[in-house]
Amino acid sequence: MKKIFPLVILSALFLNACDDDLTYAELRAREKEQIETFIEKGCCIIDESSKDTLLYVAPINTITEAEYNAAGHVCNLQRNEYIYLSDNEVYLQIIRRGTGDMGRTITDAEGHVQPLRGDTLAPGTTRRVIVRYTEYNIGGDSIQSSNVLSPAYAQMPDIMSVTNNSGTLSGTFISGVMSNRYSSTAVPNGWLYPLYYVCLGRYVYDDSEIAKVRVIVPSTEGQADASSATYPCFYELTYMSDR
């Protein structure tokens, strides 16, 4: 699937008039079909002026959490594998798990100094997380918002405060494009689920050290507009600790 668009952040598509006649169950059924088509075909968005590829997603192979665990907690990127999180109907690809708290070290049993690899957000803790993202509206077949692609926002990453409440994550936007775009400080659940799987740290040399994921988010786990209009989104996200 290939679409050519100018390098602008496209607005969300309004519901068609016929959508008013659809029940919520019918809208959800349509959404699931849109996700299935996206998984089967992927997408390719190209900037009309520069001809640069803004977003490319190859056809996706899905695996279960059990298969992900059995593979050593690794997604096979050559097969473009995504984990299907059945409890919330989210599809997650872990491109980089992240190296955790860079700069801190430990001494092993043999006296060798080793980098300390962080872990997922621990219960009872709150972290400020810097996020860079691109949002693709699967239902509208368009890039909808980004703090990466637009030059105006490239130096304005989203910052959110995330708390692990006895294993349940909650988040609030402190600043950034998403909170302004959707007039809400609530972090979509679809942005929080990957934090159960990745390490939060800061990069020392380049951004290859920080966590990076791709995720398909149904309307039930998405931002306010997706929830109200019942459409799914695809996100490419990087996470970095703000300390």
Side-chain angles (χ1 to χ4, degrees):
M1 179 185 297
K2 180 176 289 187
K3 295 287 182 180
I4 299 179
F5 290 112
L7 182 51
V8 295
I9 305 305
L10 301 178
S11 299
L13 299 179
F14 290 103
L15 290 174
N16 294 326
C18 61
D19 287 352
D20 294 335
D21 299 325
L22 298 178
T23 67
Y24 179 68
E26 290 170 331
L27 290 171
R28 286 284 286 139
R30 182 180 66 179
E31 178 185 21
K32 290 180 180 180
E33 290 178 358
Q34 291 168 341
I35 292 174
E36 290 172 359
T37 299
F38 180 76
I39 288 172
E40 179 184 355
K41 297 182 178 180
C43 73
C44 184
I45 308 297
I46 297 175
D47 174 28
E48 187 178 59
S49 57
S50 68
K51 306 305 180 184
D52 291 336
T53 299
L54 304 180
L55 178 67
Y56 173 70
V57 181
I60 293 167
N61 289 294
T62 63
I63 60 174
T64 65
E65 289 187 80
E67 289 172 322
Y68 168 74
N69 294 334
H73 305 97
V74 173
C75 291
N76 187 325
L77 300 183
Q78 291 185 334
R79 295 189 68 249
N80 204 29
E81 287 183 347
Y82 282 59
I83 313 158
Y84 177 57
L85 307 180
S86 57
D87 288 346
N88 43 60
E89 300 181 348
V90 164
Y91 295 82
L92 169 64
Q93 181 180 64
I94 301 169
I95 298 174
R96 297 192 301 259
R97 189 168 184 267
T99 52
D101 293 323
M102 298 299 298
R104 298 172 60 192
T105 60
I106 58 173
T107 302
D108 62 23
E110 298 178 352
H112 302 297
V113 176
Q114 303 287 351
L116 176 64
R117 288 185 174 271
D119 208 336
T120 53
L121 190 67
T125 60
T126 297
R127 299 280 288 275
R128 284 165 61 105
V129 182
I130 298 172
V131 185
R132 288 179 170 82
Y133 80 96
T134 294
E135 177 185 57
Y136 172 79
N137 181 331
I138 294 175
D141 195 16
S142 63
I143 292 176
Q144 186 158 281
S145 71
S146 176
N147 62 13
V148 176
L149 298 179
S150 171
Y153 299 132
Q155 302 303 316
M156 298 172 58
D158 285 42
I159 299 176
M160 59 188 189
S161 176
V162 182
T163 300
N164 187 331
N165 300 289
S166 301
T168 301
L169 299 182
S170 61
T172 302
F173 284 115
I174 297 171
S175 61
V177 177
M178 281 288 283
S179 58
N180 290 329
R181 176 70 176 79
Y182 298 110
S183 302
S184 173
T185 59
V187 177
N189 288 333
W191 280 37
L192 297 174
Y193 294 134
L195 295 177
Y196 289 109
Y197 298 84
V198 302
C199 294
L200 291 173
R202 292 182 65 86
Y203 61 78
V204 175
Y205 301 108
D206 57 53
D207 62 4
S208 68
E209 299 162 339
I210 63 174
K212 182 177 182 179
V213 303
R214 285 183 156 194
V215 59
I216 299 171
V217 180
S219 60
T220 52
E221 307 294 340
Q223 35 81 355
D225 190 67
S227 178
S228 63
T230 317
Y231 63 83
C233 287
F234 168 89
Y235 294 95
E236 184 170 278
L237 303 153
T238 62
Y239 299 101
M240 184 173 71
S241 177
D242 186 24
R243 65 173 172 81

